[in-house]
Amino acid sequence: LGVGFLRHSSKKPGGSCDALVRRFACEPSQMVMIGDRYMTDVVYGNRHGMLTIRCAPFTDAGESAAIGAAKWIEEKAVGWWRKPSGEFCPGEKSHALIDAGAGKNARGFVKDPGVW
């Protein structure tokens, strides 16, 4: 595909995003982190002020039981957190990459994982 990547010494969600800033010559708030794991990709992006997008995994083939269990726990925790009655629901926090003036917020982009 010709898509570049950066190797890093620390695993997500730890570490800084200095290499990304150097590579793309922009601030983290202008970046989008796309990944299939809440506790790694999404947390890393959120820690650094990026807009985060959680996508469905390409495949689960070859994953260890530990990774499968971690994903199950992540899904349950996020499902509990996303309850509409909760004070802290995703999609309500503004981000510079989403045009709030047009009445949009991230919730308009969220798709139910059940449709994957």
Side-chain angles (χ1 to χ4, degrees):
L1 295 173
V3 177
F5 63 93
L6 296 173
R7 297 212 182 267
H8 46 87
S9 58
S10 60
K11 289 195 165 266
K12 293 178 288 192
S16 74
C17 61
D18 295 340
L20 293 171
V21 171
R22 284 191 302 274
R23 168 71 183 264
F24 298 110
C26 65
E27 292 301 311
S29 62
Q30 298 172 302
M31 297 180 192
V32 178
M33 169 60 82
I34 301 171
D36 66 343
R37 298 287 309 276
Y38 290 112
M39 298 307 293
T40 55
D41 306 316
V42 173
V43 170
Y44 179 84
N46 286 345
R47 281 188 60 230
H48 297 290
M50 299 174 191
L51 177 64
T52 57
I53 299 172
R54 194 245 178 200
C55 62
F58 290 119
T59 180
D60 293 331
E63 283 188 346
S64 69
I67 295 295
K71 284 182 167 182
W72 183 85
I73 291 168
E74 290 174 5
E75 291 287 340
K76 293 298 179 190
V78 170
W80 171 80
W81 181 62
R82 289 180 65 189
K83 291 185 187 290
S85 61
E87 183 178 336
F88 299 102
C89 286
E92 300 304 322
K93 185 176 178 183
S94 63
H95 192 281
L97 296 179
I98 298 175
D99 182 9
K104 295 180 186 175
N105 64 31
R107 185 173 299 286
F109 300 100
V110 174
K111 299 293 181 194
D112 183 331
V115 301
W116 292 334

